[in-house]
Amino acid sequence: MGAYVSKTYLTVRYAETDMMGIVHHSRYYPWFEIARGDYIKKSGVSYRSLEDMGIMMPLSQSGAKYHGGLKYDDEVMITCVMEKLTVARCRFKYEVYKLPETELKTTGYSEHGFVDAKTFAPINIKKTHPDIWDKIMSLYNGGNE
């Protein structure tokens, strides 16, 4: 069984488009963040609760490739999967599809570290928060839907 894949659904808002009438490239990153939050919630913890426990996940790298434009009022689905996980880092992969055709429009990724919220020092999440590690690892290994 593969890793758990979350699905987030959005409608393109007018404010997300540019003068050409297509979604501006900068708008995809907030969509990735929404999808990542939905993914994490599936583990049974929210990103807010991770912060409350003293865990932060700062971004270290991100990117996107645009395969076609989306326009105002388009219905989209963003998939999110954790494609790499270590005790100190993780990498998410995103795909943005136009619905109802399920036409791939954008692919992207983001890489994050696990750090202590007070010191911003890297942590080994498996050692410092084994219960959270188990929940994240469960999704990484397939989770349940």
Side-chain angles (χ1 to χ4, degrees):
M1 177 161 58
Y4 169 71
V5 178
S6 70
K7 295 177 182 174
T8 300
Y9 297 90
L10 300 171
T11 302
V12 175
R13 294 166 294 229
Y14 188 80
E16 294 172 316
T17 62
D18 60 19
M19 286 186 66
M20 294 179 284
I22 61 173
V23 174
H24 191 268
H25 65 275
S26 66
R27 303 304 184 185
Y28 288 88
Y29 291 93
W31 293 359
F32 295 168
E33 184 177 341
I34 292 166
R36 186 172 62 252
D38 288 348
Y39 181 96
I40 292 170
K41 280 182 191 172
K42 183 64 179 177
S43 72
V45 293
S46 67
Y47 191 81
R48 166 59 69 200
S49 64
L50 290 177
E51 289 180 342
D52 291 344
M53 288 182 259
I55 304 167
M56 295 194 104
M57 295 173 58
L59 179 72
S60 60
Q61 190 175 78
S62 65
K65 182 173 182 179
Y66 309 97
H67 307 279
L70 291 164
K71 297 185 177 194
Y72 168 65
D73 217 28
D74 280 347
E75 298 291 327
V76 298
M77 174 181 67
I78 304 137
T79 63
C80 177
V81 64
M82 187 179 289
E83 65 178 356
K84 185 176 181 184
L85 175 64
T86 70
V87 297
R89 307 186 66 67
C90 60
R91 178 182 170 110
F92 293 94
K93 179 176 83 171
Y94 312 95
E95 294 178 343
V96 179
Y97 295 91
K98 181 180 183 295
L99 299 176
E101 306 90 342
T102 317
E103 181 183 350
L104 181 63
K105 294 293 187 174
T106 304
T107 54
Y109 73 93
S110 63
E111 295 181 0
H112 306 262
F114 297 111
V115 302
D116 179 273
K118 290 180 183 165
T119 65
F120 240 58
I123 60 172
N124 176 328
I125 196 166
K126 185 176 180 180
K127 286 184 181 177
T128 61
H129 298 83
D131 53 329
I132 300 301
W133 169 258
D134 290 344
K135 290 177 180 185
I136 295 171
M137 190 58 129
S138 174
L139 289 182
Y140 182 70
N141 287 328
N144 50 35
E145 205 165 355

